[in-house]
Coordinates of all heavy atoms in Angstrom, one line a residue:
M1 N -42.5 10.7 37.2 CA -43.7 9.8 36.9 C -45.0 10.5 37.0 O -45.8 10.5 36.1 CB -43.7 8.6 37.8 CG -44.7 7.5 37.5 SD -44.4 6.8 35.8 CE -45.7 5.6 35.7
K2 N -45.1 11.3 38.1 CA -46.4 12.0 38.3 C -46.6 13.0 37.1 O -47.7 13.2 36.6 CB -46.3 12.8 39.6 CG -47.0 12.1 40.7 CD -47.1 12.9 42.0 CE -47.7 12.1 43.1 NZ -47.4 12.7 44.4
K3 N -45.4 13.6 36.7 CA -45.5 14.6 35.6 C -46.0 13.9 34.3 O -46.8 14.5 33.6 CB -44.1 15.2 35.4 CG -44.1 16.6 34.9 CD -42.7 17.2 34.9 CE -42.7 18.6 34.6 NZ -41.4 19.2 34.7
L4 N -45.5 12.7 34.1 CA -45.9 11.9 32.8 C -47.4 11.6 32.9 O -48.1 11.8 31.9 CB -45.1 10.6 32.7 CG -43.7 10.7 32.1 CD1 -43.1 9.4 32.1 CD2 -43.9 11.2 30.7
I5 N -47.9 11.2 34.0 CA -49.3 10.9 34.2 C -50.2 12.2 33.9 O -51.1 12.1 33.2 CB -49.6 10.3 35.6 CG1 -49.0 8.9 35.7 CG2 -51.1 10.2 35.8 CD1 -48.9 8.4 37.1
A6 N -49.7 13.3 34.5 CA -50.5 14.5 34.3 C -50.5 14.9 32.8 O -51.5 15.3 32.3 CB -49.8 15.6 35.1
A7 N -49.4 14.8 32.1 CA -49.3 15.1 30.7 C -50.2 14.2 29.9 O -50.9 14.6 29.0 CB -47.8 15.0 30.2
G8 N -50.2 12.9 30.2 CA -51.1 11.9 29.6 C -52.5 12.3 29.8 O -53.3 12.2 28.8
A9 N -52.9 12.7 31.0 CA -54.3 13.0 31.2 C -54.7 14.3 30.4 O -55.8 14.3 29.9 CB -54.5 13.3 32.7
A10 N -53.8 15.2 30.4 CA -54.1 16.5 29.6 C -54.3 16.1 28.1 O -55.2 16.7 27.5 CB -53.0 17.5 29.8
A11 N -53.5 15.3 27.6 CA -53.6 14.8 26.2 C -54.9 14.1 26.0 O -55.6 14.3 25.0 CB -52.4 14.0 25.8
A12 N -55.3 13.3 26.9 CA -56.6 12.5 26.8 C -57.7 13.5 26.8 O -58.7 13.3 26.1 CB -56.7 11.5 28.0
I13 N -57.7 14.5 27.7 CA -58.8 15.5 27.7 C -58.8 16.3 26.4 O -59.9 16.4 25.9 CB -58.6 16.4 28.9 CG1 -58.8 15.7 30.2 CG2 -59.5 17.6 28.9 CD1 -58.2 16.3 31.5
A14 N -57.7 16.7 25.9 CA -57.6 17.4 24.6 C -58.2 16.6 23.5 O -59.0 17.0 22.7 CB -56.2 17.8 24.3
A15 N -57.9 15.3 23.4 CA -58.4 14.4 22.4 C -59.9 14.2 22.6 O -60.6 14.2 21.6 CB -57.6 13.0 22.5
G16 N -60.3 14.0 23.8 CA -61.7 13.8 24.1 C -62.6 15.0 23.6 O -63.7 14.8 23.2
A17 N -62.0 16.2 23.7 CA -62.8 17.4 23.3 C -63.1 17.3 21.8 O -64.1 17.9 21.4 CB -62.0 18.6 23.6
L18 N -62.3 16.7 21.0 CA -62.4 16.6 19.6 C -63.2 15.4 19.1 O -63.8 15.4 18.1 CB -61.1 16.7 18.9 CG -60.3 17.9 19.1 CD1 -58.9 17.8 18.6 CD2 -61.0 19.1 18.5
A19 N -63.2 14.3 19.9 CA -63.8 13.1 19.5 C -65.3 13.1 19.7 O -65.8 14.0 20.5 CB -63.2 11.9 20.3
I20 N -66.0 12.2 19.1 CA -67.4 12.0 19.4 C -67.6 11.3 20.7 O -67.0 10.3 20.9 CB -68.1 11.2 18.3 CG1 -67.6 11.6 16.9 CG2 -69.6 11.2 18.4 CD1 -67.9 10.6 15.8
P21 N -68.4 11.9 21.6 CA -68.6 11.2 22.9 C -69.2 9.8 22.7 O -70.0 9.6 21.7 CB -69.5 12.1 23.7 CG -69.8 13.3 22.8 CD -69.1 13.1 21.5
A22 N -68.9 8.9 23.5 CA -69.4 7.5 23.4 C -70.9 7.5 23.6 O -71.6 6.6 23.0 CB -68.7 6.6 24.3
L23 N -71.4 8.3 24.4 CA -72.9 8.3 24.8 C -73.5 9.7 24.5 O -72.8 10.7 24.4 CB -73.0 8.0 26.3 CG -72.5 6.7 26.8 CD1 -72.5 6.7 28.3 CD2 -73.3 5.6 26.2
A24 N -74.8 9.6 24.3 CA -75.5 10.9 24.2 C -75.3 11.8 25.3 O -75.2 11.3 26.5 CB -77.0 10.6 24.0
A25 N -75.1 13.1 25.1 CA -74.8 14.0 26.1 C -75.3 15.4 25.8 O -75.9 15.5 24.7 CB -73.3 14.0 26.3
T26 N -75.0 16.3 26.6 CA -75.4 17.7 26.3 C -74.1 18.5 25.9 O -73.1 18.4 26.6 CB -76.1 18.4 27.5 OG1 -77.3 17.7 27.7 CG2 -76.4 19.8 27.2
R27 N -74.2 19.2 24.8 CA -73.1 20.0 24.4 C -73.6 21.5 24.4 O -74.6 21.8 23.9 CB -72.6 19.7 22.9 CG -71.8 18.4 22.8 CD -70.4 18.6 23.4 NE -69.6 19.6 22.7 CZ -68.9 19.3 21.6 NH1 -68.8 18.1 21.2 NH2 -68.2 20.3 21.1
T28 N -72.7 22.3 25.0 CA -73.1 23.7 25.1 C -72.4 24.5 24.0 O -71.2 24.3 23.7 CB -72.7 24.3 26.5 OG1 -73.4 23.5 27.4 CG2 -73.1 25.7 26.6
V29 N -73.1 25.4 23.3 CA -72.6 26.3 22.3 C -72.8 27.7 22.8 O -73.9 28.1 23.2 CB -73.2 26.1 20.9 CG1 -72.8 27.1 19.9 CG2 -73.0 24.7 20.4
S30 N -71.8 28.6 22.7 CA -72.0 30.0 23.1 C -72.5 30.8 21.9 O -72.0 30.6 20.8 CB -70.6 30.6 23.6 OG -70.3 29.9 24.8
V31 N -73.5 31.6 22.2 CA -74.0 32.5 21.1 C -73.4 33.9 21.5 O -73.9 34.6 22.4 CB -75.5 32.5 21.1 CG1 -76.0 33.5 20.0 CG2 -76.1 31.1 21.0
K32 N -72.4 34.3 20.7 CA -71.7 35.6 21.0 C -72.0 36.6 19.9 O -72.7 36.3 18.9 CB -70.2 35.3 21.1 CG -69.8 34.4 22.3 CD -68.3 34.3 22.5 CE -68.0 33.5 23.7 NZ -66.6 33.3 23.9
D33 N -71.4 37.8 20.0 CA -71.5 38.8 18.9 C -70.3 38.7 18.0 O -69.2 39.1 18.4 CB -71.5 40.2 19.6 CG -72.7 40.4 20.6 OD1 -73.7 39.8 20.4 OD2 -72.4 41.2 21.5
N34 N -70.4 38.3 16.8 CA -71.5 37.6 16.1 C -71.0 36.3 15.6 O -70.8 36.1 14.4 CB -72.0 38.5 14.9 CG -72.6 39.8 15.4 OD1 -73.3 39.9 16.4 ND2 -72.2 40.8 14.7
V35 N -70.9 35.4 16.5 CA -70.3 34.1 16.2 C -70.8 33.0 17.2 O -71.1 33.3 18.3 CB -68.7 34.2 16.3 CG1 -68.2 34.5 17.7 CG2 -68.0 32.9 15.7
F36 N -70.9 31.8 16.6 CA -71.2 30.6 17.5 C -69.9 30.0 17.9 O -69.0 29.9 17.0 CB -72.0 29.6 16.7 CG -73.4 30.0 16.3 CD1 -73.8 30.3 15.0 CD2 -74.4 30.1 17.3 CE1 -75.1 30.7 14.7 CE2 -75.7 30.5 17.0 CZ -76.0 30.8 15.7
V37 N -69.7 29.7 19.1 CA -68.5 29.0 19.6 C -68.9 27.7 20.3 O -69.6 27.8 21.3 CB -67.7 29.9 20.6 CG1 -66.5 29.2 21.0 CG2 -67.4 31.3 19.9
A38 N -68.7 26.6 19.7 CA -67.8 26.3 18.5 C -68.6 26.5 17.2 O -69.8 26.4 17.2 CB -67.2 24.9 18.6
K39 N -67.8 26.6 16.1 CA -68.4 26.7 14.8 C -68.9 25.4 14.2 O -69.7 25.3 13.3 CB -67.4 27.3 13.8 CG -67.3 28.8 13.9 CD -66.3 29.4 12.9 CE -66.2 30.9 12.8 NZ -67.5 31.5 12.4
S40 N -68.3 24.3 14.8 CA -68.6 23.0 14.3 C -68.5 22.0 15.5 O -67.5 22.0 16.2 CB -67.6 22.6 13.2 OG -67.9 21.2 12.8
I41 N -69.5 21.2 15.6 CA -69.5 20.2 16.7 C -70.0 18.8 16.1 O -70.8 18.8 15.1 CB -70.3 20.5 17.9 CG1 -71.8 20.7 17.6 CG2 -69.8 21.8 18.6 CD1 -72.7 20.8 18.8
T42 N -69.5 17.8 16.7 CA -69.9 16.4 16.3 C -70.5 15.7 17.5 O -69.8 15.7 18.5 CB -68.8 15.6 15.7 OG1 -68.3 16.3 14.6 CG2 -69.2 14.2 15.3
I43 N -71.7 15.3 17.4 CA -72.4 14.7 18.6 C -73.0 13.3 18.2 O -73.2 13.0 17.1 CB -73.4 15.6 19.2 CG1 -74.5 15.9 18.1 CG2 -72.8 16.9 19.8 CD1 -75.7 16.7 18.7
R44 N -73.3 12.6 19.2 CA -74.0 11.3 19.1 C -75.5 11.6 18.9 O -76.0 12.5 19.6 CB -73.7 10.5 20.4 CG -73.7 9.1 20.4 CD -73.0 8.3 19.4 NE -71.6 8.0 19.7 CZ -70.8 7.4 18.9 NH1 -71.3 6.9 17.7 NH2 -69.5 7.2 19.1
K45 N -76.1 10.8 18.1 CA -77.6 10.8 18.0 C -78.2 10.8 19.4 O -77.8 9.9 20.2 CB -78.1 9.7 17.1 CG -79.5 9.7 16.7 CD -79.9 8.6 15.8 CE -80.3 7.4 16.7 NZ -81.1 6.4 15.9
G46 N -79.2 11.6 19.6 CA -79.9 11.6 20.9 C -79.3 12.6 21.9 O -79.8 12.8 23.0
S47 N -78.2 13.2 21.5 CA -77.6 14.3 22.3 C -78.4 15.6 22.2 O -79.1 15.8 21.3 CB -76.1 14.5 21.9 OG -75.3 13.4 22.1
T48 N -78.2 16.4 23.2 CA -78.9 17.7 23.3 C -77.8 18.8 23.1 O -76.7 18.7 23.6 CB -79.6 17.9 24.6 OG1 -80.6 16.9 24.8 CG2 -80.2 19.3 24.8
V49 N -78.2 19.8 22.2 CA -77.3 20.9 22.1 C -78.0 22.1 22.8 O -79.2 22.3 22.7 CB -77.1 21.3 20.6 CG1 -76.2 22.5 20.5 CG2 -76.5 20.1 19.8
R50 N -77.2 22.7 23.6 CA -77.7 23.8 24.4 C -77.0 25.1 24.1 O -75.8 25.2 24.3 CB -77.6 23.6 25.9 CG -78.1 24.6 26.8 CD -78.1 24.2 28.3 NE -78.7 25.2 29.2 CZ -77.9 26.0 29.9 NH1 -76.6 25.9 30.0 NH2 -78.5 26.9 30.7
W51 N -77.7 26.1 23.4 CA -77.1 27.3 23.1 C -77.3 28.3 24.2 O -78.4 28.5 24.7 CB -77.7 27.9 21.8 CG -77.4 27.2 20.5 CD1 -76.4 27.5 19.7 CD2 -78.0 26.0 20.0 NE1 -76.3 26.6 18.6 CE2 -77.3 25.7 18.8 CE3 -79.1 25.2 20.3 CZ2 -77.7 24.6 17.9 CZ3 -79.5 24.2 19.5 CH2 -78.8 23.9 18.3
V52 N -76.2 29.0 24.6 CA -76.3 29.9 25.7 C -75.9 31.3 25.2 O -74.8 31.5 24.6 CB -75.4 29.5 26.9 CG1 -75.5 30.6 28.0 CG2 -75.8 28.1 27.4
W53 N -76.8 32.3 25.3 CA -76.5 33.6 24.8 C -75.6 34.4 25.7 O -75.8 34.4 26.9 CB -77.9 34.4 24.7 CG -78.6 34.2 23.4 CD1 -78.8 35.2 22.4 CD2 -79.3 33.0 23.0 NE1 -79.6 34.6 21.4 CE2 -79.9 33.3 21.7 CE3 -79.4 31.7 23.5 CZ2 -80.6 32.4 21.0 CZ3 -80.1 30.8 22.7 CH2 -80.7 31.1 21.5
K54 N -74.5 34.9 25.1 CA -73.5 35.6 25.9 C -73.1 37.0 25.4 O -72.2 37.6 25.9 CB -72.2 34.7 26.0 CG -72.5 33.4 26.8 CD -71.3 32.6 27.0 CE -71.5 31.5 28.0 NZ -70.4 30.5 28.0
G55 N -73.7 37.4 24.3 CA -73.4 38.7 23.7 C -74.3 39.7 24.2 O -75.1 39.5 25.1
S56 N -74.3 40.9 23.5 CA -75.2 42.0 23.9 C -76.2 42.3 22.7 O -77.2 43.0 22.9 CB -74.5 43.2 24.3 OG -73.6 43.6 23.2
A57 N -76.0 41.7 21.5 CA -76.9 41.9 20.4 C -77.9 40.8 20.3 O -77.6 39.7 20.8 CB -76.1 42.0 19.1
P58 N -79.0 41.0 19.7 CA -80.0 39.9 19.6 C -79.5 38.9 18.5 O -79.0 39.2 17.5 CB -81.3 40.6 19.1 CG -80.8 41.9 18.5 CD -79.5 42.3 19.2
H59 N -79.8 37.6 18.8 CA -79.4 36.5 17.9 C -80.5 35.4 18.0 O -81.3 35.4 18.9 CB -78.1 35.9 18.3 CG -76.9 36.8 18.4 ND1 -76.4 37.4 17.3 CD2 -76.2 37.4 19.4 CE1 -75.4 38.2 17.6 NE2 -75.3 38.2 18.9
N60 N -80.4 34.6 17.0 CA -81.3 33.4 17.0 C -80.6 32.2 16.5 O -79.5 32.3 15.9 CB -82.6 33.6 16.2 CG -82.4 33.9 14.8 OD1 -81.9 33.1 14.0 ND2 -82.7 35.1 14.3
V61 N -81.1 31.0 16.7 CA -80.6 29.7 16.2 C -81.6 29.2 15.2 O -82.7 28.9 15.6 CB -80.4 28.8 17.4 CG1 -80.1 27.4 16.9 CG2 -79.3 29.3 18.3
T62 N -81.2 29.1 13.9 CA -82.2 28.7 12.9 C -81.5 27.6 12.0 O -80.4 27.9 11.4 CB -82.6 29.9 12.0 OG1 -83.1 30.9 12.8 CG2 -83.6 29.5 10.9
V63 N -82.1 26.5 11.9 CA -81.6 25.4 11.0 C -82.1 25.8 9.6 O -83.3 26.0 9.3 CB -82.2 24.0 11.3 CG1 -81.7 23.0 10.3 CG2 -81.7 23.6 12.7
T64 N -81.1 26.0 8.6 CA -81.4 26.3 7.3 C -81.3 25.1 6.4 O -81.8 25.1 5.3 CB -80.5 27.5 6.7 OG1 -79.2 27.1 6.9 CG2 -80.8 28.8 7.5
K65 N -80.6 24.1 6.8 CA -80.4 22.9 6.1 C -80.2 21.8 7.1 O -79.4 21.9 8.0 CB -79.1 23.1 5.2 CG -79.1 22.3 3.9 CD -77.9 22.7 3.1 CE -77.5 21.7 2.1 NZ -76.2 22.0 1.5
G66 N -80.9 20.6 6.9 CA -80.7 19.5 7.8 C -81.9 18.6 7.8 O -82.9 18.9 7.3
P67 N -81.7 17.5 8.5 CA -82.8 16.4 8.6 C -84.0 16.9 9.3 O -85.1 16.5 9.1 CB -82.1 15.3 9.4 CG -80.7 15.6 9.4 CD -80.5 17.0 9.2
V68 N -83.8 17.9 10.2 CA -84.9 18.4 11.0 C -84.8 19.9 11.1 O -83.7 20.4 11.3 CB -85.0 17.9 12.5 CG1 -86.1 18.5 13.2 CG2 -85.0 16.4 12.5
K69 N -85.9 20.7 10.8 CA -85.8 22.1 10.9 C -86.3 22.6 12.2 O -87.4 22.1 12.7 CB -86.6 22.8 9.7 CG -86.1 22.4 8.3 CD -84.9 23.2 7.9 CE -84.3 22.6 6.6 NZ -85.1 22.8 5.4
F70 N -85.6 23.5 12.8 CA -86.1 24.1 14.0 C -85.5 25.5 14.2 O -84.5 25.8 13.5 CB -85.8 23.3 15.3 CG -84.3 23.0 15.5 CD1 -83.5 23.8 16.2 CD2 -83.8 21.8 15.0 CE1 -82.1 23.5 16.4 CE2 -82.5 21.5 15.2 CZ -81.6 22.3 15.8
R71 N -86.1 26.3 15.0 CA -85.5 27.7 15.2 C -85.9 28.2 16.6 O -87.0 27.9 17.1 CB -85.9 28.7 14.2 CG -87.4 29.1 14.1 CD -87.6 30.2 13.1 NE -86.8 31.3 13.4 CZ -86.6 32.3 12.5 NH1 -87.1 32.2 11.3 NH2 -85.9 33.3 12.8
S72 N -85.0 28.9 17.2 CA -85.3 29.6 18.5 C -85.9 30.9 18.2 O -85.9 31.4 17.1 CB -84.0 29.8 19.3 OG -83.2 30.8 18.7
S73 N -86.4 31.5 19.2 CA -86.8 32.9 19.1 C -85.5 33.8 19.0 O -84.4 33.3 19.3 CB -87.7 33.3 20.3 OG -86.9 33.2 21.5
T74 N -85.7 35.0 18.6 CA -84.6 36.0 18.7 C -84.5 36.6 20.1 O -85.5 37.1 20.5 CB -84.7 37.1 17.6 OG1 -84.7 36.4 16.3 CG2 -83.6 38.1 17.7
K75 N -83.3 36.5 20.7 CA -83.2 37.1 22.0 C -81.8 37.5 22.4 O -80.9 37.2 21.6 CB -83.8 36.1 23.1 CG -83.2 34.7 22.9 CD -84.0 33.7 23.8 CE -83.4 32.3 23.8 NZ -84.1 31.4 24.7
V76 N -81.6 38.1 23.5 CA -80.3 38.6 23.9 C -79.7 37.9 25.1 O -78.5 37.9 25.3 CB -80.3 40.1 24.2 CG1 -80.6 41.0 23.0 CG2 -81.3 40.4 25.4
K77 N -80.5 37.1 25.8 CA -80.0 36.3 26.9 C -80.8 35.1 27.1 O -81.9 34.9 26.5 CB -79.9 37.1 28.2 CG -81.2 37.7 28.7 CD -81.0 38.5 30.0 CE -82.3 39.0 30.5 NZ -82.1 39.8 31.7
G78 N -80.3 34.2 27.9 CA -81.0 32.9 28.2 C -80.4 31.8 27.3 O -79.3 31.9 26.9
S79 N -81.2 30.7 27.2 CA -80.6 29.6 26.4 C -81.8 28.9 25.6 O -83.0 29.3 25.8 CB -80.0 28.6 27.4 OG -81.0 28.0 28.2
Y80 N -81.3 28.0 24.8 CA -82.3 27.3 23.9 C -81.7 25.9 23.7 O -80.5 25.8 23.4 CB -82.5 28.0 22.6 CG -83.2 27.2 21.5 CD1 -84.6 27.1 21.7 CD2 -82.6 26.6 20.5 CE1 -85.4 26.3 20.7 CE2 -83.3 25.8 19.5 CZ -84.7 25.7 19.7 OH -85.4 25.0 18.7
S81 N -82.5 24.9 24.0 CA -81.9 23.5 23.9 C -82.7 22.7 22.9 O -84.0 22.9 22.8 CB -82.0 22.8 25.3 OG -81.1 23.4 26.2
K82 N -82.1 21.8 22.2 CA -82.7 20.9 21.2 C -82.1 19.6 21.3 O -80.8 19.5 21.1 CB -82.6 21.6 19.8 CG -83.4 20.8 18.8 CD -84.9 21.2 19.0 CE -85.7 20.3 18.0 NZ -87.2 20.6 18.1
K83 N -82.9 18.5 21.4 CA -82.4 17.2 21.4 C -82.4 16.7 19.9 O -83.4 16.8 19.3 CB -83.3 16.3 22.2 CG -82.8 14.8 22.3 CD -83.6 14.0 23.3 CE -83.1 12.6 23.5 NZ -83.9 11.9 24.5
L84 N -81.3 16.2 19.4 CA -81.2 15.9 18.0 C -81.2 14.3 17.9 O -80.3 13.6 18.3 CB -79.9 16.4 17.4 CG -79.9 18.0 17.4 CD1 -78.6 18.5 16.8 CD2 -81.1 18.6 16.7
T85 N -82.3 13.8 17.3 CA -82.6 12.4 17.2 C -82.4 11.9 15.8 O -82.6 10.7 15.6 CB -84.0 12.1 17.8 OG1 -84.9 12.8 17.0 CG2 -84.1 12.4 19.3
R86 N -82.1 12.7 14.9 CA -81.9 12.3 13.5 C -80.4 12.6 13.1 O -79.9 13.7 13.2 CB -82.8 13.0 12.5 CG -84.3 12.8 12.9 CD -85.1 11.9 11.9 NE -84.8 12.0 10.6 CZ -85.6 12.6 9.7 NH1 -86.7 13.2 10.0 NH2 -85.2 12.6 8.4
R87 N -79.8 11.5 12.5 CA -78.4 11.7 12.0 C -78.4 12.6 10.8 O -79.3 12.7 10.1 CB -77.9 10.3 11.6 CG -77.6 9.4 12.7 CD -76.8 8.1 12.2 NE -76.4 7.3 13.4 CZ -77.2 6.4 13.9 NH1 -78.4 6.1 13.4 NH2 -76.7 5.7 14.9
G88 N -77.2 13.2 10.6 CA -77.0 14.1 9.5 C -76.3 15.4 9.8 O -75.8 15.5 11.0
T89 N -76.2 16.2 8.8 CA -75.5 17.5 9.0 C -76.5 18.6 9.0 O -77.4 18.7 8.2 CB -74.5 17.7 7.9 OG1 -73.5 16.6 7.9 CG2 -73.7 19.0 8.0
Y90 N -76.4 19.4 10.1 CA -77.3 20.6 10.3 C -76.5 21.9 10.1 O -75.5 22.1 10.7 CB -77.9 20.6 11.7 CG -78.7 19.3 12.0 CD1 -78.1 18.1 12.2 CD2 -80.1 19.5 12.2 CE1 -78.9 17.0 12.5 CE2 -80.9 18.4 12.6 CZ -80.3 17.1 12.7 OH -81.0 16.0 13.1
T91 N -77.0 22.7 9.2 CA -76.4 24.0 9.0 C -77.3 25.0 9.8 O -78.5 25.1 9.6 CB -76.4 24.4 7.5 OG1 -75.6 23.5 6.8 CG2 -75.8 25.8 7.3
I92 N -76.6 25.8 10.6 CA -77.4 26.7 11.5 C -76.9 28.1 11.3 O -75.7 28.3 11.3 CB -77.2 26.2 13.0 CG1 -78.0 24.9 13.1 CG2 -77.7 27.3 14.0 CD1 -77.7 24.1 14.4
L93 N -77.8 29.0 11.2 CA -77.5 30.4 11.0 C -78.2 31.2 12.1 O -79.3 30.8 12.6 CB -78.0 30.9 9.7 CG -77.3 30.5 8.4 CD1 -78.1 31.0 7.2 CD2 -75.9 30.9 8.4
C94 N -77.6 32.4 12.5 CA -78.4 33.4 13.1 C -78.9 34.2 11.9 O -78.1 34.8 11.2 CB -77.5 34.3 14.0 SG -78.4 35.8 14.5
T95 N -80.2 34.3 11.7 CA -80.7 34.9 10.5 C -80.5 36.4 10.5 O -80.4 37.0 9.4 CB -82.2 34.7 10.3 OG1 -82.9 35.2 11.5 CG2 -82.5 33.2 10.1
I96 N -80.2 37.0 11.6 CA -79.9 38.5 11.7 C -78.5 38.8 11.1 O -78.3 39.7 10.5 CB -80.1 39.0 13.1 CG1 -81.5 38.8 13.6 CG2 -79.6 40.5 13.2 CD1 -81.7 39.0 15.1
H97 N -77.6 37.9 11.5 CA -76.2 38.1 11.1 C -75.7 37.1 10.0 O -74.5 36.9 9.9 CB -75.3 38.0 12.4 CG -75.7 39.1 13.4 ND1 -76.4 38.8 14.5 CD2 -75.6 40.4 13.3 CE1 -76.6 39.9 15.2 NE2 -76.2 40.9 14.5
A98 N -76.6 36.5 9.3 CA -76.2 35.6 8.2 C -75.6 36.5 7.0 O -76.1 37.6 6.9 CB -77.5 34.9 7.7
P99 N -74.7 35.9 6.3 CA -74.3 34.5 6.3 C -73.1 34.3 7.2 O -72.7 33.1 7.3 CB -73.9 34.3 4.8 CG -73.4 35.6 4.4 CD -74.2 36.6 5.1
G100 N -72.6 35.3 7.9 CA -71.3 35.1 8.6 C -71.5 34.3 9.9 O -70.6 33.6 10.3
M101 N -72.6 34.5 10.6 CA -72.9 33.8 11.9 C -73.5 32.5 11.6 O -74.7 32.3 11.5 CB -73.7 34.7 12.8 CG -73.7 34.2 14.2 SD -74.5 35.4 15.3 CE -74.6 34.5 16.8
K102 N -72.6 31.5 11.5 CA -73.0 30.2 11.0 C -72.3 29.1 11.8 O -71.2 29.3 12.2 CB -72.6 30.1 9.5 CG -72.9 28.8 8.8 CD -72.4 28.9 7.4 CE -72.5 27.6 6.6 NZ -72.0 27.7 5.3
M103 N -73.0 28.0 12.0 CA -72.3 26.8 12.6 C -72.8 25.5 12.0 O -73.9 25.5 11.3 CB -72.4 26.8 14.1 CG -73.8 26.4 14.6 SD -73.9 26.1 16.4 CE -72.9 24.6 16.5
T104 N -72.1 24.4 12.2 CA -72.5 23.1 11.7 C -72.5 22.1 12.8 O -71.6 22.1 13.7 CB -71.5 22.7 10.6 OG1 -71.4 23.7 9.6 CG2 -71.9 21.4 9.9
I105 N -73.5 21.3 12.8 CA -73.6 20.2 13.7 C -73.6 18.9 12.9 O -74.5 18.7 12.0 CB -74.9 20.2 14.6 CG1 -74.9 21.6 15.4 CG2 -74.9 19.1 15.6 CD1 -76.2 21.7 16.2
H106 N -72.7 18.0 13.3 CA -72.7 16.6 12.7 C -73.3 15.7 13.7 O -72.8 15.6 14.8 CB -71.3 16.2 12.3 CG -70.6 17.2 11.4 ND1 -70.9 17.1 10.0 CD2 -69.7 18.1 11.6 CE1 -70.2 18.1 9.4 NE2 -69.5 18.7 10.3
V107 N -74.4 15.0 13.4 CA -75.0 14.1 14.3 C -74.7 12.7 13.7 O -75.1 12.3 12.6 CB -76.5 14.3 14.5 CG1 -77.1 13.2 15.4 CG2 -76.8 15.7 15.0
K108 N -73.9 11.9 14.5 CA -73.5 10.6 14.0 C -74.3 9.5 14.7 O -74.8 9.6 15.8 CB -72.0 10.3 14.4 CG -71.1 11.4 13.9 CD -70.7 11.1 12.4 CE -69.8 12.2 11.9 NZ -69.3 12.0 10.6
Ligands
CU1 CU1 -76.9 37.0 15.4

């Protein structure tokens, strides 16, 4: 029985990672060499996305398409946070490593 409960909890956690959270929250994205992890996230309107630099090369976060345009400075460490209050799809590039270093945010 304990084993079944543990398996159920693990499945719920796995499903939760893919689903849209019920409430606005903060989602963290890793900025690596040369990829955003995750490449695609879906968040609730009013949520904050926090990019954390983890590579050794310089990168930036630049919205090239979306309801609101914003960009971080180019840097090698630290973080950049943005609260997204407009629904829609945001295409984000690191302009140094475009077009390969790209991610998408869906704000529902
Ligand atoms: Cu880059």
